[in-house]
Amino acid sequence: MARVAVIGAGVIGVSSAYLLARAGHDVTLIDAASEPGMGASAGNAAQLSWAYGDAMASPALLKHLPAIAMGRDPAFRIRWQLDRDFLCWGLKFLANTPFSSWWNNTQEILRLAEQSRHELVILLKETDIEFDYRVAGKLHLYADRQSFAAADSSVARKNALGFEQRLLTRVEAEDVEPALAAYQGEIAGAVYTPSDALGDAAGFCRQLTAWMIERRQVSVLFGRKVSTFVQTGSVLTGLRFEDRDELRVDAAIVAAGPEVRSFISDLPEARDIRPIRGYSLTVRRTGLAPSISLTDVKRKLAFAAIGDRFRVAGLADIERPGAGFDAGRFETLRLAASAVLPDLFERSDELMRWSGERPMTPTSMPIIAASRRIKGLYINAGHGMLGWTLALGSARRVVDFFQ
Ligand SMILES: Cc1cc2nc3c(=O)[nH]c(=O)nc-3n(C[C@H](O)[C@H](O)[C@H](O)COP(=O)(O)OP(=O)(O)OC[C@H]3O[C@@H](n4cnc5c(N)ncnc54)[C@H](O)[C@@H]3O)c2cc1C
């Protein structure tokens, strides 16, 4: 049994702590925030996209890149930075856009998602935690015939891998989700994935942490920021906090999401992770809200009914790390959501305005690895657009390092 510290209590850290404790390790879960799930996991789109998994670097995005670079797509914003890491990340991202790289990366992501789904089934049997989880199904909405026609081959590939996905006309999509009749956006067709699920990621972090504390499975240190590692030679022996206090451990998992970059000197693997900022708006759910998850492919908006709340999330802003909430960008999201579902986003009570950074790698695959520099140090970060979906599978791969 090892003494293991998990740094970061977002979906990745909490999932890692849970599976490490279940494997019999003595786990301390640490976060700089006062409670779990306050980082990128706090206001995400809630979708557990088991059958999506599409890597962001793709031939389609490459084609669209000139429009994005010229600021012609409101869903994206690039703030060019003259730093070496930014340029290297950009070049590696471009190198992953050819079809063969995209498809390899996507299949890797789908395998990890499948592992996550498997672990979630076990977790739901073992715990009684409530996080508004349900198998809601998902509809990807395509605005024009051309993009819908392109979805055809993607569905065929996913079907060949054993995922159930179907192409639907607008009328068929409205049979699946009657609330779509009020959707003001163009719908040339939809891809229906019945098995996709959703759940509140922040609720999962809070509930699972409380469940583990109650059963004395983990110790927690919240409101404590880790600043550096303590070593004897190249072997990890502990952590040092900002206040200079130390904690002795045999191993540490860095699950610090986008902030993993603050450990680059000890964990050069983190250089490949850059933040992509997104926004969300949560309103009170009314009877008009679609119950199935929706993704509007053209507008890059994801919608989810989470318990008594309804959320839209979107935008992908590549900018300097820690840039913060931009009221203008939030307004872009609010207007786009109001244009397609005005009854919900113009007339429902607003509950939360949020923005967070997706920790993104050029391949869209997370980095789950042992540090090249310090023995006993591991990284579990860089889950990008799909961290909630990939959390438990990634945690399983971390536990495998200790066997
Ligand atoms: C708009 C948006 C929509 C999204 N929608 C979805 C979706 O529908 N489905 C999906 O699967 N994924 C989605 N994602 C992606 C997903 O939310 C992220 O990939 C995931 O939350 C990353 O989790 P994490 O635990 O790595 O990071 P975080 O949740 O950010 O957790 C990292 C934690 O580490 C702590 N920390 C950092 N540094 C230190 C330190 N030095 N000491 C102590 N603690 C530290 C932070 O306080 C934080 O709590 C979305 C993301 C965004 C932004």
Side-chain angles (χ1 to χ4, degrees):
M1 178 172 94
R3 289 169 305 172
V4 187
V6 177
I7 303 166
V11 280
I12 305 304
V14 171
S15 301
S16 303
Y18 166 67
L19 287 191
L20 283 163
R22 208 171 71 188
H25 298 292
D26 175 5
V27 179
T28 305
L29 177 62
I30 302 165
D31 203 292
S34 57
E35 56 175 312
M38 303 277 279
S41 309
N44 70 19
Q47 299 186 351
L48 291 160
S49 306
W50 311 128
Y52 178 63
D54 293 22
M56 190 181 175
S58 65
L61 190 75
L62 182 65
K63 224 188 275 173
H64 195 50
L65 218 46
I68 295 173
M70 285 187 277
R72 291 214 194 110
D73 184 339
F76 294 92
R77 183 168 77 178
I78 304 181
R79 291 264 195 241
W80 300 98
Q81 296 146 58
L82 271 181
D83 86 68
R84 191 177 155 274
D85 282 0
F86 177 80
L87 294 173
C88 286
W89 189 94
L91 289 174
K92 286 184 188 172
F93 185 87
L94 287 176
N96 276 281
T97 53
F99 177 83
S100 58
S101 307
W102 170 78
W103 181 232
N104 283 341
N105 293 335
T106 298
Q107 287 184 91
E108 278 288 315
I109 295 167
L110 288 169
R111 276 192 280 275
L112 187 53
E114 199 49 39
Q115 230 175 332
S116 286
R117 175 156 58 171
H118 173 75
E119 291 296 339
L120 183 61
V121 170
I122 301 172
L123 180 146
L124 291 171
K125 278 191 196 139
E126 188 181 80
T127 73
D128 52 1
I129 62 168
E130 286 286 338
F131 54 100
D132 293 315
Y133 169 78
R134 67 196 169 88
V135 182
K138 182 153 72 188
L139 286 167
H140 275 88
L141 307 177
Y142 290 84
D144 55 80
R145 282 172 192 280
Q146 206 186 351
S147 60
F148 186 48
D152 196 12
S153 54
S154 160
V155 167
R157 276 192 296 274
K158 299 275 174 69
N159 288 164
L161 291 178
F163 295 103
E164 188 191 349
Q165 283 196 328
R166 293 202 298 275
L167 295 163
L168 304 182
T169 62
R170 177 163 191 156
V171 173
E172 288 166 337
E174 285 179 18
D175 282 344
V176 171
E177 175 51 78
L180 265 189
Y183 198 80
Q184 303 292 307
E186 324 80 309
I187 304 178
V191 172
Y192 176 40
T193 313
S195 61
D196 274 1
L198 64 81
D200 177 15
F204 172 88
C205 293
R206 284 192 301 271
Q207 292 277 322
L208 187 55
T209 303
W211 187 89
M212 292 189 287
I213 293 171
E214 208 173 286
R215 281 155 190 79
R216 299 182 198 283
Q217 291 194 348
V218 299
S219 309
V220 297
L221 293 172
F222 290 142
R224 303 291 302 278
K225 187 164 184 173
V226 174
S227 57
T228 166
F229 304 106
V230 184
Q231 306 162 231
T232 302
S234 62
V235 178
L236 182 86
T237 54
L239 313 174
R240 190 168 294 123
F241 294 95
E242 255 186 346
D243 58 12
R244 316 280 316 154
D245 250 12
E246 284 186 17
L247 176 73
R248 291 191 70 78
V249 291
D250 305 311
I253 317 297
V254 184
E259 288 160 76
V260 69
R261 294 181 58 82
S262 64
F263 297 105
I264 277 180
S265 57
D266 288 322
L267 212 51
E269 294 79 358
R271 230 175 254 289
D272 264 351
I273 299 172
R274 287 203 76 83
I276 299 194
R277 184 166 288 280
Y279 290 77
S280 74
L281 166 62
T282 309
V283 297
R284 199 169 299 289
R285 182 178 177 183
T286 69
L288 299 167
S291 153
I292 199 166
S293 294
L294 299 177
T295 296
D296 184 317
V297 176
K298 178 181 161 198
R299 293 176 179 80
K300 309 280 182 302
L301 298 176
F303 300 93
I306 315 161
D308 59 0
R309 294 161 293 158
F310 190 69
R311 181 172 295 162
V312 59
L315 307 194
D317 294 354
I318 302 182
E319 48 191 15
R320 70 179 165 73
F325 186 93
D326 178 328
R329 290 298 282 158
F330 174 80
E331 197 52 19
T332 302
L333 175 82
R334 201 187 61 74
L335 289 174
S338 300
V340 290
L341 287 169
D343 283 332
L344 281 154
F345 290 103
E346 279 172 10
R347 291 181 267 283
S348 293
D349 297 341
E350 198 175 297
L351 301 177
M352 183 171 82
R353 294 175 166 215
W354 178 82
S355 91
E357 293 176 323
R358 307 172 182 92
M360 198 82 205
T361 63
T363 59
S364 296
M365 260 303 277
I367 303 175
I368 308 167
S371 160
R372 293 195 296 267
R373 294 232 170 116
I374 305 181
K375 194 165 180 310
L377 184 63
Y378 300 87
I379 178 171
N380 185 8
H383 294 73
M385 307 267 174
L386 288 167
W388 177 213
T389 306
L390 304 177
L392 282 161
S394 304
R396 163 55 54 204
R397 292 190 183 183
V398 163
V399 173
D400 291 347
F401 287 126
F402 291 81
Q403 274 155 10

